[in-house]
Amino acid sequence: MPDMLVKLYTLPDKQPLIERLAQQGIVIKRGMSGDMHRAVSFAEEHFNASWRNSCQNAFARLPSGIFLAVQNKQIIGFACYDVVVRNFFGPTGVTDACRGLGVGKALLLECLHAMRADGYAYAIIGWAEDAQAFYEHAVGATVIPDSFPGAYQGMIDID
């Protein structure tokens, strides 16, 4: 479960994908305080309590560090950054029914572009698990050798 490194100064353009999703009725938006209860509930219901905590933490800053994918007023995915440690992307998740539509990539790009706008030159994708090929293809991420548990060392669930 290594971490991965992304060069933020070579990110692909996000706009064509965002526009294609919008034509399908899927909107990618930065979470606002009024979205917190729904986003936090979504993360716990579809993923786990740890991701719920990360989503909640994402709302502790302004602007928030969470982007939401919404279709028909329902959250179908989310992505966070700067919630575990600074300069980290994740967690992120999309409902099973909406995978393969480009929602995950759009959420990834929104977060990484926001991180670039915040002044970061590089981002770390934490705990990439089984998504290494996705991150390599989507944004040219590379594995950081010997990076697990890395920033997660000391977490009660890890040790």
Side-chain angles (χ1 to χ4, degrees):
M1 296 178 265
D3 295 336
M4 299 183 81
L5 186 67
V6 181
K7 294 183 266 184
L8 298 180
Y9 49 84
T10 61
L11 290 174
D13 184 13
K14 64 181 178 170
Q15 227 32 58
L17 179 54
I18 299 297
E19 290 171 6
R20 182 174 61 77
L21 290 173
Q23 291 172 354
Q24 298 173 53
I26 300 170
V27 175
I28 307 297
K29 66 179 279 301
R30 188 183 286 267
M32 297 175 65
S33 62
D35 299 322
M36 185 170 78
H37 69 286
R38 291 181 67 194
V40 168
S41 294
F42 173 85
E44 184 166 25
E45 177 184 337
H46 293 276
F47 302 99
N48 60 57
S50 180
W51 286 15
R52 175 203 63 216
N53 296 343
S54 292
C55 286
Q56 190 167 2
N57 193 29
F59 286 97
R61 58 172 277 185
L62 289 175
S64 74
I66 186 169
F67 285 87
L68 304 170
V70 180
Q71 185 176 39
N72 299 320
K73 297 187 179 186
Q74 298 296 313
I75 296 173
I76 60 170
F78 76 96
C80 301
Y81 70 96
D82 280 355
V83 297
V84 175
V85 294
R86 289 194 188 273
N87 202 28
F88 264 56
F89 167 80
T92 184
V94 175
T95 60
D96 289 340
C98 295
R99 290 185 183 162
L101 301 176
V103 174
K105 183 176 181 180
L107 289 164
L108 170 68
L109 289 173
E110 283 287 8
C111 281
L112 296 180
H113 277 276
M115 292 174 80
R116 176 71 175 147
D118 285 351
Y120 294 115
Y122 298 89
I124 297 165
I125 299 171
W127 204 333
E129 289 193 60
D130 299 328
Q132 291 177 32
F134 167 75
Y135 292 124
E136 287 169 0
H137 182 263
V139 292
T142 57
V143 170
I144 301 172
D146 302 317
S147 57
F148 184 81
Y152 302 96
Q153 189 170 10
M155 281 180 51
I156 294 168
D157 289 345
I158 300 293
D159 293 339

